Amino acid sequence: LNRVASLKEALGSNAESFLQYSGDDGTTTDFVIAGGDGCISVTANLVPAQMSKIMKAGLDGDAELARKLNEPLAVLHKKLFVESNPIPAKWAAKRLGLMESAYCRPPLDEMDPAYSSVVEEALRAAGLI
C-alpha cells in the first residue's frame, strides 16, 4: 500500500476519489483490512455471498471475522489459477452446477483434465462439494 499511498499523494485533491482494489483473491482480505477498498474477484464468481461477507467484515474493521470467513477459501483462491483465468473458474462453476458448460472462447480452451482433481480438491476444502 505504500506505492498506492504515493500515487494518492500525486493525485492531490483527487486522492479521496481514488479507490484501491485488489485483483488477487489470496491477499484481498489483508489488503482490505489494511485500508483497501475492495477487490475484483475470481472466487466471487463461485461464492459471491461469501466474498461479499468477507469484504464487508474487512471494510467494517472486523479483521477477525474477515479472516475467519476467508480461511475456508484460501486453497480455492490459489487453485483457481492452475491455468489462465477464467479456465479453472469456469470448470469449477460447471462442477458446482452454476453453468452448463466450461467452454471458453478461443484462444482459450477447457481446463486440462490433469487439473480437474486439483480444483475439485480445492472446492472440497472450501466446503462447496
Side-chain angles (χ1 to χ4, degrees):
L1 290 176
N2 289 337
R3 287 183 177 172
V4 176
S6 296
L7 180 58
K8 281 184 136 182
E9 287 176 22
L11 291 171
S13 63
N14 294 324
E16 292 307 313
S17 64
F18 184 79
L19 300 176
Q20 303 171 48
Y21 290 93
S22 170
D24 176 27
D25 288 316
T27 60
T28 289
T29 301
D30 287 333
F31 175 80
V32 170
I33 290 168
D37 294 301
C39 70
I40 308 299
S41 173
V42 172
T43 307
N45 288 289
L46 304 175
V47 287
Q50 183 76 359
M51 289 300 293
S52 178
K53 289 176 187 175
I54 293 166
M55 292 301 97
K56 181 164 180 8
L59 291 169
D60 289 346
D62 193 342
E64 183 178 339
L65 178 59
R67 288 185 176 116
K68 179 181 175 183
L69 293 170
N70 187 61
E71 187 176 332
L73 301 178
V75 173
L76 185 60
H77 293 321
K78 291 178 186 175
K79 301 305 180 186
L80 286 177
F81 292 93
V82 294
E83 284 201 88
S84 296
N85 182 41
I87 296 170
K90 285 193 169 208
W91 185 93
K94 179 183 178 202
R95 174 64 179 86
L96 295 174
L98 301 173
M99 298 175 64
E100 291 182 15
S101 171
Y103 172 80
C104 293
R105 60 184 161 79
L108 301 176
D109 199 355
E110 289 191 31
M111 190 168 70
D112 185 323
Y115 296 117
S116 297
S117 62
V118 173
V119 178
E120 177 112 6
E121 183 53 39
L123 293 171
R124 190 170 286 109
L128 300 176
I129 55 173

